[in-house]
Amino acid sequence: MLKQKSLKGFTLIEILVVVALIAILTAITFIAINPAKNFQDTRNAQRSADVTQILNAITQFTSEQGNTTAMLTNTDGIAIPTCTADPADMAFIGPASVADTFVVLEPDLVDEYIVGIPVDPLAVTATNGYGYSICQTTGGRITINAPLAEGKTISVKR
């Protein structure tokens, strides 16, 4: 009598089915996690904290005896513009190295009221300074915006 050998292992079909199931589960997990949106939300949370931090430093500066928002206009930068309905009229906050196009807050705020002016996670210094813009109403209320915010508007006014 002839004995048949018993072969052990997986067939090609079984291996392909398992690989296909793993690929489908990976795709579903990747879509559910959505890392691009999570990174966007993280950058927006940082922007929200940054505009609040800048506004708090300005508020502390103006709370001191004799300080006004007009004193934030210094020889190192342009004056804080008046707020209008067009957000494009706001001036960017930037470094003193290119002061002729930016509102420069460092001389008045850094070290005493804030460690350093925050930089937007996607800011390019040459074109939009630190990535945050500023304006003030005729009544003296300051507005700080994050114009590079992704998918929403981030603005703080006080």
Side-chain angles (χ1 to χ4, degrees), residues 31-115:
I31 291 169
I33 293 174
N34 194 359
K37 180 159 179 8
N38 288 341
F39 285 130
Q40 177 181 323
D41 291 345
T42 301
R43 288 189 297 269
N44 281 340
Q46 181 63 49
R47 289 179 179 106
S48 182
D50 288 349
V51 294
T52 302
Q53 187 178 14
I54 294 168
L55 192 56
N56 285 342
I58 292 172
T59 302
Q60 287 176 341
F61 174 81
T62 57
S63 295
E64 293 212 352
Q65 184 175 357
N67 287 347
T68 65
T69 55
M71 294 173 74
L72 289 169
T73 306
N74 54 62
T75 56
D76 293 329
I78 63 173
I80 298 173
T82 303
C83 296
T84 64
D86 185 7
D89 291 338
M90 297 181 78
F92 278 102
I93 299 169
S97 60
V98 281
D100 56 339
T101 56
F102 297 119
V103 173
V104 178
L105 299 176
E106 286 108 329
D108 298 318
L109 302 180
V110 172
D111 288 336
E112 193 169 342
Y113 304 103
I114 193 170
V115 174

Side-chain angles (χ1 to χ4, degrees), residues 106-137:
E106 286 108 329
D108 298 318
L109 302 180
V110 172
D111 288 336
E112 193 169 342
Y113 304 103
I114 193 170
V115 174
I117 304 298
V119 179
D120 185 278
L122 298 178
V124 179
T125 304
T127 58
N128 51 21
Y130 295 129
Y132 300 110
S133 58
I134 186 171
C135 70
Q136 71 178 339
T137 64

Side-chain angles (χ1 to χ4, degrees), residues 2-6:
L2 292 172
K3 285 188 173 180
Q4 269 191 322
K5 287 186 176 179
S6 170

